[in-house]
Amino acid sequence: MAPTDNTTPTPGIATTNDRPVYVIGAGPGGLAAAAALRARGVRAVVLEKSDRVGASWRAHYDRLHLHTTRALSGLPGLKMPRSFGRWVSRDNVVRYLEKYVEHHALEIVTGVEVSRIERTSDDSAWLLHASGGRELTGAAVVVATGYNHTPHLPEWPHSASYQGQLLHATDYRNPIPFQGKDILVVGVGNTGAEIAADLAEGGASRVRLAVRTAPYILRRSTAGWPAQRTGILVRRLPVPLVDRAGDIVCRISVPDLTPHGLPRPTHGLYSRVKQGAIPVQDVGLIAAIRAGKVEPVAALDSFATESGEAVLADSSRLAPDVIIAATGYRRSLEPLVGHLGVLDPRGRPTVHGPRTSPQAPGLHFTGFTNPISGMFREMSRDADRIARTLSRPAKRR
């Protein structure tokens, strides 16, 4: 990894070689924060539990591309190369993160997992408990362990009776192992929608998509105008106004899939975003549904105890060879910071970016929202704001 950074720290934050700012997680958010801090003369040490940066991106399925444009997805201080194209692939995201570390000479320590953060006994700094019995003292901490941290697999009743293969979407790479098989994909977020389309194109004998709540589906780009730019323009407008506009746009640009088993949503696009449900960016799902290659069905509710069949919300039963659960992730921040009173009832940070909780000054979070304007873009903005805050003299902060 990069050599140790011996930059002279900014006086206000009182960082020393013994008390740097610790950044937990070497994904895009953590690397962006470290680079922004370094640019302001603040020593930042990134702690990563895996052996390489961008571990979560390396684990994503092969087909994945950013749903945001290359031009709006670069991190502070380094643009993504034009050669990556408009929609950057998973592999090129990983290459970019590796180059980012090298370009900014970031100080990365791999193979270190932080299990708990607390104030030092004299309340002057932060104490990090890490693997190998390490205890690290930092002037401030930036938690960037990721929005998609721990795969969530629902506890469906009687799932043990299912005789087929049940896996989480995090274990899916490509359709090759599933050629000729009957597949049920559970969940119609961006991951479930793309995996279903990938399986349909890749030779699965049948693909069904279990849907609990009909999603808003958007074209990734319309007449050359990316959906992300619209998201940036409307993100601060009143929610009811954006709901109405979004409904009109969807009706104009996306065909009605109701005859194919997927009705139009009714709850308001931006209202759903505020609840954490990002619209599905179409990268093949619409065509696959219209062609009958992906069949929407009711949500998976349980399994039959005798036969092991999948029982859907409409009481119908299926016997797929494989069930792929695109059922999301948990932030899993409770063991790390749950005792500090900085999480809401759903386990999400109560404050984000440059702001900190009154009871936890100097403890920052980045990458724990899923904004309509693009996660990479917002993590970049967070990084600059966090660095600006931490480089101020303590009294001003």
Side-chain angles (χ1 to χ4, degrees), residues 115-329:
S115 57
R116 183 180 173 89
I117 303 170
E118 61 189 10
R119 296 295 289 177
T120 55
S121 57
D122 62 0
D123 201 34
S124 65
W126 288 98
L127 180 64
L128 287 70
H129 299 272
S131 53
R134 298 176 179 87
E135 291 189 346
L136 308 170
T137 305
V141 179
V142 179
V143 180
T145 48
Y147 189 84
N148 295 336
H149 185 273
T150 304
H152 170 63
L153 191 65
E155 295 181 0
W156 288 295
H158 314 300
S159 59
S161 65
Y162 175 58
Q163 300 300 308
Q165 181 184 6
L166 173 61
L167 66 153
H168 190 272
T170 194
D171 296 316
Y172 177 86
R173 291 295 175 271
N174 59 61
I176 294 174
F178 308 103
Q179 291 175 348
K181 295 185 177 181
D182 183 342
I183 315 293
L184 175 66
V185 179
V186 180
V188 70
N190 277 293
T191 297
E194 189 158 359
I195 287 177
D198 198 32
L199 288 164
E201 295 170 10
S205 65
R206 188 172 189 179
V207 181
R208 284 172 283 199
L209 181 61
V211 180
R212 186 170 299 278
T213 303
Y216 277 91
I217 303 176
L218 297 175
R219 300 289 188 185
R220 188 166 60 175
S221 179
T222 303
W225 178 264
Q228 181 190 8
R229 288 198 179 274
T230 302
I232 293 170
L233 291 174
V234 306
R235 63 190 301 264
R236 299 198 184 280
L237 294 178
V239 172
L241 176 62
V242 180
D243 279 347
R244 288 194 294 271
D247 188 62
I248 293 171
V249 169
C250 287
R251 288 181 179 277
I252 292 173
S253 62
V254 176
D256 185 7
L257 299 175
T258 302
H260 302 278
L262 188 63
R264 289 192 183 276
T266 58
H267 301 292
L269 187 152
Y270 206 28
S271 295
R272 296 278 300 279
V273 169
K274 291 294 186 180
Q275 297 166 4
I278 294 297
V280 171
Q281 301 277 324
D282 179 46
V283 288
L285 180 66
I286 293 174
I289 290 177
R290 296 183 77 185
K293 295 181 178 180
V294 172
E295 306 166 50
V297 296
L300 174 61
D301 266 4
S302 63
F303 291 87
T305 53
E306 305 84 3
S307 64
E309 293 174 301
V311 181
L312 306 185
D314 61 2
S315 299
S316 60
R317 296 189 177 196
L318 307 176
D321 300 315
V322 182
I323 296 176
I324 300 176
T327 45
Y329 297 79

Side-chain angles (χ1 to χ4, degrees), residues 23-37 46 54 56-57 75-76 96-97 100 106 142-147 352 365-368 375-384 386:
V23 179
I24 305 175
L31 299 182
L37 286 163
V46 182
S56 63
W57 271 93
L75 302 179
Y96 173 72
L97 296 179
Y100 195 79
L106 299 182
V142 179
V143 180
T145 48
Y147 189 84
H352 206 262
F365 295 88
T366 183
F368 293 98
M375 185 174 284
F376 271 56
R377 177 181 183 272
E378 295 307 317
M379 286 190 295
S380 295
R381 292 162 64 88
D382 271 352
D384 286 331
I386 291 170

Side-chain angles (χ1 to χ4, degrees), residues 16-29:
T16 67
N17 284 335
D18 295 326
R19 290 190 175 183
V21 174
Y22 281 110
V23 179
I24 305 175

